[in-house]
Amino acid sequence: MAAAPAEPDPPTAHRPGGRAPVGVVVDGYSVGKYLPAAFRRLGADVVHLQSTPEFLDCVPPPDLRPYLANIVQDPSDPARTVRELAAFGPCGVLPGQETGVPPADRTAELLGLPGNPSLTSAVRRDKYRMIEALRAAGIPCADQLKSDDAGEVLDWARRNGYPVVVKPLSSASTDKVSVCRGPGEVRAAVAEILGSRDIFGRRNTEVLVQSFLDGTEYIVDAVRGPAGSRRVCGVWRYEKTLAGTRPVYDRDVLLDPGAPEVEPLVGYLDTVLDALDIRFGAAHAEIMLTAAGPVLVEVGARLDGLMDPGHHDSCLDGNQADLLALACVRPDEFTRRHPGDTLYRKHREGMVVHVQTTRQGVVEAVDEDALAAITALDTVHLAVPRLAPGDRMRPTTDLLSSPLRVFLTGDSPEQLLADHRRIRRMADAVFRLAPH
């Protein structure tokens, strides 16, 4: 029988003088929205650091209501930004999404707080440098080339053999990722990327081409505390198909911590964390388990973008956002509860369904009755429409174009698979498209 988890410190713990601890969230878009509530559950406040003069227009803006203040970073005078933040006496600086990784590294460093060295920030953002850092450390990784020349990419692919993977250097959510099986597909993938912008608004001036990793892909989520201890929060298996050249994700399935794949994946992750200088904070790694062993696809030094804290709490013994906040606000408690390198416990089966569509057009309305019918299924924890009236629906080619995400938990894999099939049949009714 597993031992009961350690009792947490009182939730009202404050600093001397009655002042609550304060966390800093950099670019609290996307999954960063879960951090303010995680800090508040520990009796802490949060300040938002905006790394750009204006909010990014390529993703929904962060909700600033939970924050004490929004400080806009001054790139010409970083010392001024640090002085503004220092007035709050922060206990940690965390990225809310990929764009927040380098500024969080630098800001934590200037404030003397736990973090990752700014000197190596690029290896945690640039996918080419990431893989080269693994190669330099002798860690199994893909062969690769980055280039702004389609001819050079084609020559590399011919020498290394098809299939190859072509993708942007610093994007996310499978944005413009193509599995190419011949020269024509490579030319099309390179032409699509060069000159376009990634999902964070950065212009793609080069492309990355890598050897194709044949195997099953997994997600491994972890948090490293300030004393170096590492907690793996969950291991999930991606199940996906190819639609033309595009990998289309169908569902993520939570593994039992005793599953045979978990040990080699976690052992490999630890070598990756060290090689990429991820010394503190969250990590979200996508790892391919090939016949020769684990090989990294990519890793983000931030929260898992597909995480819903309530869903993870329903099937696991905690969620990554709460663990990350604990590492900042109560580092001693984090170390006491998770001494050394520890692994999650699974309470129930878990699955995330990425609904696919072949439809296209402008969304006229979200049918609340159809959505409620999905939510009423026995295993559904949460169903999240990813389009609103006025948005354009397009056929699913990546995670960004999945119109509906559904989080499931239950007592058996069969339960989840049965509702997965039902959701696929019911999903088209959720969105009414405007007449052509």
Side-chain angles (χ1 to χ4, degrees), residues 197-397:
R197 294 188 181 274
D198 66 22
I199 65 169
F200 305 118
R202 292 176 46 167
R203 187 166 294 281
N204 292 307
T205 58
E206 294 178 297
V207 301
L208 178 62
V209 56
Q210 295 177 323
S211 55
F212 178 74
L213 301 174
D214 191 9
T216 302
E217 190 174 357
Y218 296 85
I219 310 162
V220 186
D221 295 331
V223 173
R224 266 191 164 168
S229 58
R230 183 268 298 141
R231 175 73 171 179
V232 170
C233 315
V235 178
W236 302 71
R237 183 179 67 249
Y238 274 143
E239 299 191 1
K240 56 188 178 179
T241 57
L242 270 180
T245 63
R246 296 298 174 86
V248 177
Y249 290 76
D250 178 37
R251 58 186 182 263
D252 314 335
V253 179
L254 178 63
L255 297 191
D256 188 275
E261 306 98 317
V262 169
E263 184 177 354
L265 288 166
V266 170
Y268 179 82
L269 173 70
D270 286 338
T271 67
V272 168
L273 297 182
D274 289 341
L276 300 182
D277 264 346
I278 301 178
R279 304 176 185 178
F280 174 80
H284 166 66
E286 295 171 355
I287 302 172
M288 193 72 74
L289 193 55
T290 71
V295 182
L296 185 72
V297 176
E298 57 192 58
V299 63
R302 41 82 179 168
L303 295 173
D304 179 349
L306 299 178
M307 178 198 65
D308 174 80
H311 178 242
H312 281 208
D313 286 345
S314 71
C315 51
L316 292 159
D317 58 346
N319 69 79
Q320 201 179 23
D322 283 345
L323 279 168
L324 184 56
L326 185 68
C328 285
V329 178
R330 302 179 192 161
D332 292 342
E333 182 182 343
F334 181 96
T335 303
R336 189 179 75 244
R337 294 174 65 182
H338 310 294
D341 294 336
T342 58
L343 202 58
Y344 64 99
R345 287 181 293 177
K346 174 181 165 184
H347 298 318
R348 302 186 80 199
E349 302 296 330
M351 180 186 289
V352 183
V353 177
H354 309 283
V355 169
Q356 302 171 25
T357 186
T358 58
R359 304 165 74 205
Q360 55 186 330
V362 176
V363 176
E364 185 176 59
V366 174
D367 189 314
E368 296 298 336
D369 290 338
L371 185 63
I374 290 175
T375 304
L377 294 174
D378 288 344
T379 67
V380 172
H381 172 83
L382 179 68
V384 182
R386 306 188 67 240
L387 295 173
D391 290 341
R392 180 166 292 278
M393 177 182 284
R394 59 185 174 91
T396 304
T397 58

